[in-house]
Amino acid sequence: LQYNVSLCHQVVTRHMWSTGWGSDFNNIAGGLLRGLNIGKPFQVSFVDEGYAWQDGWHYANFKPAFRNGRPPVCPTKDMFCYFLPLGLCPPLHMNTTPASPFEGFDTNPFAWAMEYAHRQKMWVRKRVHNLIKAKAPPVSLPCAAMHVRRTDVAMKADWARQHFSIGKYLHKLKEKGIYTKNLLLFTDDQNALEEALTHHPSYNWMYLNISRHRGSSGGYENHIAASDPADEVTAMLSIFKLARHCDSFVMGHSTFADEIYRGMVSKGKNITLLRVDEGLDVFNPSYTTSEEDLMESLASNSSG
């Protein structure tokens, strides 16, 4: 279907949001499923009248506010710098499908569509292999994976999420009777990594030695802490591979973490999934101070 050029005049088109990785790929997977359901090819557009600032995809070309003269990863400035084409048909200029990306979110077809969108080019596969070899420790088993999403999550009141302490994640594991000391930590926040190492030194913390923002210092929706977007993409693709070593996963609300989990269970492995925000509001305006509150609490515990 994706390579049936006789249907190109009917191609289903969605605009690339250039928000977070998980949201962007949920949108793509949803578009693929929409096309499959109605028998039409799907394509993604990286130009939209409602996003006049956009010049490609921000994981291939920094957003203007963060670009500082740095070049794109490749001339097309889009996801196809890294991934194989979705099909032969070009996108239409209009966004021809509803914006919601969540069709069949928990279904096998959605997992298939996500995997299809993530077919990596050979240079990317090699780069992921080399990063894991050079900057990831050997994974000790059994292990639990932990995704700590912070940075900009509390910056916008309408969408504010809470900064949870590392101790909250550890508590969730213990509540479930998971006492392994081997923890594979994935986080966008350098503060979270240092918190794990200094406040919980009895654990065997395993993590990628990569660039990270420190707290919210990077600004809103600046997901790229590295000097090159390709480094950030390589790190995220490496995370998907590393997480599959573990048999439990603790996370908060994050579409990227959802994708990590889908990869962990994709081969039929039984994974214990835990939520640090279970029973709590995911979004709440009161969370806008949670970064400062957490830092003050940690400092107080250290001085005490």
Side-chain angles (χ1 to χ4, degrees):
L1 183 62
Q2 286 298 107
Y3 291 84
N4 187 346
V5 295
S6 69
L7 296 175
C8 285
H9 65 291
Q10 298 181 335
V11 66
V12 173
T13 303
R14 284 190 175 183
H15 169 251
M16 174 60 86
W17 293 339
S18 279
T19 55
W21 182 279
S23 294
D24 284 350
F25 274 96
N26 282 347
N27 187 32
I28 300 301
L32 284 165
L33 284 187
R34 171 67 175 168
L36 182 63
N37 289 339
I38 62 176
K40 297 178 181 179
F42 166 76
Q43 192 54 266
V44 58
S45 171
F46 295 88
V47 178
D48 189 279
E49 290 80 2
Y51 294 76
W53 60 265
Q54 189 168 350
D55 183 17
W57 185 41
H58 71 308
Y59 284 108
N61 191 30
F62 285 99
K63 292 181 179 180
F66 308 117
R67 194 167 297 161
N68 299 323
R70 290 175 288 189
V73 173
C74 74
T76 60
K77 309 175 187 178
D78 57 26
M79 66 179 282
F80 306 118
C81 295
Y82 309 105
F83 303 104
L84 296 176
L86 295 175
L88 293 179
C89 296
L92 296 177
H93 292 298
M94 297 298 293
N95 189 344
T96 58
T97 66
S100 173
F102 299 112
E103 301 95 332
F105 183 76
D106 293 321
T107 67
N108 288 332
F110 188 91
W112 165 85
M114 191 71 79
E115 187 171 340
Y116 180 81
H118 279 89
R119 295 167 299 134
Q120 300 166 25
K121 291 185 173 180
M122 189 56 66
W123 77 268
V124 178
R125 292 175 180 270
K126 182 176 180 180
R127 190 158 175 159
V128 169
H129 171 82
N130 289 341
L131 178 69
I132 291 175
K133 184 177 180 180
K135 297 193 174 183
V139 178
S140 301
L141 301 176
C143 65
M146 178 184 296
H147 180 259
V148 180
R149 174 77 167 91
R150 290 183 182 171
T151 60
D152 65 347
V153 301
M155 294 183 70
K156 299 288 186 179
D158 291 345
W159 299 100
R161 286 177 272 166
Q162 190 169 351
H163 284 236
F164 290 97
S165 69
I166 296 295
K168 295 285 188 182
Y169 291 84
L170 295 174
H171 180 69
K172 282 294 177 181
L173 290 170
K174 291 176 181 176
E175 274 188 337
K176 195 66 176 179
I178 299 172
Y179 295 102
T180 180
K181 293 291 186 178
N182 302 316
L183 299 179
L184 197 51
L185 176 60
F186 307 126
T187 183
D188 55 355
D189 182 10
Q190 182 65 23
N191 287 337
L193 175 58
E194 293 175 6
E195 177 189 340
L197 295 172
T198 58
H199 289 261
H200 306 280
S202 64
Y203 289 87
N204 175 30
W205 294 104
M206 301 171 287
Y207 52 90
L208 282 170
N209 184 18
I210 57 174
S211 299
R212 295 177 177 84
H213 292 305
R214 187 175 290 280
S216 58
S217 63
Y220 186 67
E221 284 200 345
N222 178 15
H223 300 297
I224 303 171
S227 59
D228 180 354
D231 290 340
E232 198 76 21
V233 170
T234 304
M236 288 186 288
L237 295 174
S238 299
I239 285 171
F240 297 143
K241 289 179 68 72
L242 290 168
R244 296 183 181 189
H245 290 286
C246 299
D247 50 23
S248 55
F249 184 40
V250 57
M251 57 175 276
H253 178 83
S254 164
T255 52
F256 181 68
D258 290 335
E259 192 169 333
I260 295 173
Y261 175 70
R262 281 196 298 270
M264 294 174 74
V265 300
S266 64
K267 305 303 181 183
K269 188 175 181 179
N270 185 31
I271 303 296
T272 301
L273 177 64
L274 304 170
R275 290 287 297 257
V276 70
D277 52 3
E278 182 181 10
L280 303 174
D281 291 337
V282 172
F283 305 105
N284 193 306
S286 67
Y287 296 157
T288 54
T289 63
S290 64
E291 179 182 8
E292 294 82 1
D293 295 343
L294 175 59
M295 297 307 293
E296 290 177 7
S297 175
L298 293 172
S300 175
N301 290 340
S302 296
S303 61

